[in-house]
Amino acid sequence: MIRAFSEAGFFIFSKHEHQLISRVLRQSNLHHVLRVNVLDPKRGLFIVEIDPRAYVMKCHDKCIVMDVLDHQCYIECKESSKLSILKEVILKLSKENSGDSRILWV
């Protein structure tokens, strides 16, 4: 999971791992910045990715306060916020990995 987030920014897993992944997200307090979505219901695949709700309003407010109403302000804020969240995810998952969570390195 850590490697997938480091390389791609998301993690794909099967329905058999859903309960474990959900538990890891809750325990590491990442459930508010990551979301789990069904990727392929026929094959039972899910994806964990950064939830845009974690930064959309922050970026909107930042650009409004700065009195900058163009797309560039929002895009720059969005990219820096996603990178910041991704670093937070990797850091928290790395800390969680000190226990017995082999799934984190998949």
Side-chain angles (χ1 to χ4, degrees):
M1 196 169 174
I2 295 169
R3 187 175 3 164
F5 271 107
S6 297
E7 294 173 3
F10 61 87
F11 177 64
I12 297 173
F13 61 96
S14 71
K15 65 180 176 183
H16 305 292
E17 299 165 315
H18 191 282
Q19 196 171 31
L20 175 61
I21 298 297
S22 296
R23 183 173 44 85
V24 167
L25 295 180
R26 282 191 310 275
Q27 286 177 345
S28 56
N29 201 26
L30 291 169
H31 60 281
H32 65 283
V33 294
L34 297 177
R35 67 179 177 185
V36 176
N37 288 321
V38 176
L39 187 62
D40 186 344
K42 291 181 181 178
R43 293 176 35 197
L45 295 177
F46 294 85
I47 185 169
V48 178
E49 56 193 344
I50 295 173
D51 189 344
R53 294 176 294 185
Y55 59 82
V56 167
M57 287 308 296
K58 177 188 131 192
C59 290
H60 176 266
D61 293 345
K62 177 183 175 183
C63 292
I64 294 292
V65 167
M66 292 175 47
D67 205 24
V68 180
L69 301 176
D70 64 354
H71 292 352
Q72 191 63 31
C73 175
Y74 179 76
I75 291 169
E76 289 174 5
C77 179
K78 177 182 137 184
E79 291 304 315
S80 68
S81 295
K82 284 177 75 172
L83 184 60
S84 175
I85 291 170
L86 197 53
K87 287 179 182 178
E88 174 190 356
V89 167
I90 292 167
L91 179 68
K92 285 188 176 186
L93 289 176
S94 296
K95 286 181 182 178
E96 186 69 27
N97 194 48
S98 61
D100 186 26
S101 300
R102 292 170 296 168
I103 190 80
L104 294 178
W105 285 104
V106 172

